[in-house]
Amino acid sequence: MSDVIVVGGGAAGMMAAVAAADRGHTVRLYEKNEKLGKKLYITGKGRCNLTNNCDVEALLQAVCVNRKFLYSAFYGFTSQDTIRFFEQEGMKTKTERGNRVFPVSDHSSDVIGALTRRLKKSGVQINLNTEVAEVVTSEASCRDEQEVLSDDSNRDKKTLLHDKRAVGVKLKSGAFIQADDVIVATGGFSYRTTGSTGDGYRFAERTGHAVTELSPSLVPMTTAEGWAQMMQGLSLRNVEVSIFDGRKELYREFGEMMFTHFGVTGPLILTASCHIQKKLKEHPLQLFIDLKPALTEEQLDARILREFEASKNKQFKNVLGTLFPAKLIPVMVERSQIPAEKAVHDISREERKALVMLTKHFSLTLTGLRDYNEAIITRGGVSVKDINPATMESRKVKGLYFAGEVLDLDAVTGGYNLQIAWATGHAAGSSAK
């Protein structure tokens, strides 16, 4: 059996360590934080949406980048396998709207607890507060073998050159650890306070791998208008959002969103960022919100007319409470250009039609994405062209594997990104030689 080193104690790293240990390998897991699963702890607002209970084809459709690469990994470890894994460790799950899967307890700590128990049961040696400074490979060393052999500071690479084992890691403490396989599962740049500082990208580049352009993904967006600030904290449910680049529709979806002091966020917006970020980097885009998607324009006009007829002598600003949330009313009054104190019986048909159009096509100008501190995941990463999709092993360095967010893979919200972590981690750990 082999000695396997896993770098990173997040979702992909823990799953990789379990999979490798369950196949009889000696596994050492290195995590630079004081505890495992720091990012897992805060996902899903602390509830941890651990996967999506759908079939593999639906999983693949939710992937935004390099969908075909995940075919083998998703079929090798399905969403149902993920659910079964946690259930077997004593953590009950539940499936909610949109097939989102959560712990019954609604506590992400239970997910981390189940993984930790399994790691210990499988005999994984867990090393916390231990930072890996460098991944060392014999293949990388052989490219400049003479330089390595003549330089005493490269003694770790010298060791690999004369050893059958291909890889190792140097710890920040200076210690050098050899292994037969190293699995890099260090995450991306998102939520940097959890330790996601891009170490894996540096390891990849230094071992001869390409890293694609990096950017925040599943991230809130900024808007040009001040109306969003006026509605800060307002959450809209059951609305339809569409985003246009001129006349070209880039995105349309039904669900929930929220206004913030800088613009917009919420599930609809985060998912939209995955689809439109390339265009948004080029120039502003138009966001349209249908506040009443269940009604046609004619049906909405009829409803507004009924509200007006029932309150003929009231002022316009005082009859909108049955149509819109309180925080939205001042904005609707201002944008409709109907005087707030105007008596309802004096509102013209044209003014009423304008209110209908505003309700069905409430617009904002999207100007940009927020940064990594607010992004759920990182777009970009280790190029999948350099990785075997069946095993997650590098095509360039034997015995070196990459799993999870460090790879150039991302999906929409709903548990899909964690399923990428579980599936790629499982593939890497299962393939260790």
Side-chain angles (χ1 to χ4, degrees):
M1 291 293 107
S2 298
D3 288 328
V4 178
I5 288 174
V6 178
V7 187
M14 286 190 278
M15 184 59 77
V18 167
D22 285 352
R23 281 153 182 78
H25 301 302
T26 299
V27 182
R28 282 167 288 188
L29 173 63
Y30 292 99
E31 168 55 51
K32 68 180 179 182
N33 287 313
E34 75 285 357
K35 59 185 178 182
L36 297 171
K38 262 190 133 176
K39 185 176 176 183
L40 272 174
Y41 188 77
I42 62 174
T43 57
K45 298 180 180 177
R47 297 177 63 214
C48 192
N49 177 193
L50 58 102
T51 190
N52 193 284
N53 193 4
C54 62
D55 61 26
V56 172
E57 290 304 314
L59 283 178
L60 291 167
Q61 288 303 310
V63 176
C64 299
V65 176
N66 294 318
R67 181 179 298 164
K68 291 181 180 179
F69 176 84
L70 284 164
Y71 190 90
S72 293
F74 275 170
Y75 272 101
F77 197 78
T78 66
S79 299
Q80 291 69 44
D81 291 327
T82 298
I83 294 168
R84 193 176 304 113
F85 175 91
F86 286 100
E87 295 272 356
Q88 287 174 348
E89 294 307 312
M91 192 201 83
K92 299 296 183 184
T93 64
K94 59 182 177 180
T95 300
E96 297 187 356
R97 180 174 54 87
N99 292 322
R100 290 169 163 82
V101 180
F102 295 89
V104 165
S105 65
D106 283 331
H107 294 146
S108 57
S109 56
D110 287 350
V111 175
I112 300 165
L115 285 161
T116 304
R117 287 193 300 274
R118 183 61 178 273
L119 287 167
K120 292 177 178 178
K121 188 191 305 180
S122 299
V124 175
Q125 181 189 115
I126 302 170
N127 300 276
L128 301 176
N129 296 303
T130 308
E131 183 172 350
V132 171
E134 184 180 1
V135 171
V136 185
T137 71
S138 61
E139 276 85 348
S141 299
C142 285
R143 287 196 295 269
D144 55 351
E145 181 172 346
Q146 292 305 313
E147 179 185 344
V148 170
L149 292 175
S150 63
D151 184 355
D152 288 339
S153 67
N154 279 321
R155 62 184 181 278
D156 300 334
K157 293 183 180 181
K158 284 182 184 180
T159 301
L160 286 179
L161 281 171
H162 297 293
D163 193 284
K164 65 176 182 178
R165 289 184 283 192
V167 286
V169 298
K170 180 181 279 188
L171 305 182
K172 192 175 183 181
S173 64
F176 174 63
I177 316 294
Q178 287 180 256
D180 298 287
D181 301 281
V182 170
I183 301 172
V184 176
T186 49
F189 274 135
S190 58
Y191 295 122
R192 293 190 184 190
T193 55
T194 66
S196 296
T197 52
D199 296 342
Y201 306 136
R202 177 168 50 85
F203 299 155
E205 288 179 328
R206 288 187 178 181
T207 52
H209 299 82
V211 175
T212 62
E213 182 182 356
L214 304 170
S215 63
S217 191
L218 297 185
V219 63
M221 290 185 269
T222 55
T223 57
E225 299 83 1
W227 296 310
Q229 294 179 3
M230 292 174 64
M231 297 180 286
Q232 180 179 346
L234 173 62
S235 180
L236 298 177
R237 297 175 180 269
N238 303 320
V239 296
E240 185 178 63
V241 160
S242 56
I243 298 175
F244 282 79
D245 180 11
R247 294 185 177 182
K248 183 179 180 180
E249 182 177 290
L250 303 179
Y251 173 82
R252 181 180 294 271
E253 193 57 77
F254 175 88
E256 181 179 348
M257 62 164 288
M258 187 171 77
F259 295 101
T260 71
H261 66 284
F262 56 77
V264 286
T265 188
L268 282 177
I269 301 301
L270 298 179
T271 297
S273 73
C274 179
H275 295 282
I276 67 154
Q277 62 171 262
K278 185 176 180 180
K279 281 293 183 184
L280 188 55
K281 287 178 182 177
E282 296 174 1
H283 51 250
L285 302 173
Q286 284 302 118
L287 166 71
F288 294 95
I289 307 168
D290 185 345
L291 298 167
K292 301 291 181 182
L295 301 176
T296 65
E297 291 179 9
E298 292 75 17
Q299 290 169 330
L300 178 59
D301 185 45
R303 179 180 170 183
I304 291 173
L305 186 58
R306 287 196 301 272
E307 296 290 341
F308 284 5
E309 288 177 345
S311 307
K312 288 183 179 181
N313 297 317
K314 286 187 177 182
Q315 294 179 336
F316 175 56
K317 65 181 181 181
N318 295 325
V319 299
L320 299 179
T322 58
L323 292 169
F324 309 111
K327 277 192 174 182
L328 183 56
I329 291 173
V331 177
M332 295 300 289
V333 170
E334 180 180 343
R335 295 196 65 182
S336 70
Q337 298 185 341
I338 301 173
E341 289 76 25
K342 189 171 187 175
V344 169
H345 62 75
D346 289 333
I347 293 176
S348 68
R349 181 176 181 275
E350 289 71 25
E351 288 175 321
R352 195 180 73 245
K353 291 286 188 181
L355 179 60
V356 169
M357 294 303 293
L358 175 62
T359 304
K360 296 291 287 182
H361 307 278
F362 188 96
S363 64
L364 290 163
T365 305
L366 298 173
T367 55
L369 304 172
R370 298 288 280 181
D371 63 22
Y372 286 109
N373 291 321
E374 296 175 59
I376 294 178
I377 57 168
T378 304
R379 169 161 288 188
V382 179
S383 172
V384 297
K385 294 178 181 178
D386 293 342
I387 307 298
N388 183 327
T391 64
M392 301 300 134
E393 186 176 19
S394 164
R395 296 186 189 274
K396 293 176 176 278
V397 180
K398 182 180 179 182
L400 180 59
Y401 300 75
F402 293 89
E405 192 180 345
V406 72
L407 290 165
D408 182 14
L409 301 166
D410 67 273
V412 300
T413 59
Y416 302 105
N417 288 289
L418 269 179
Q419 184 57 34
I420 290 175
W422 308 131
T424 57
H426 185 268
S430 301
S431 302
K433 302 177 187 61

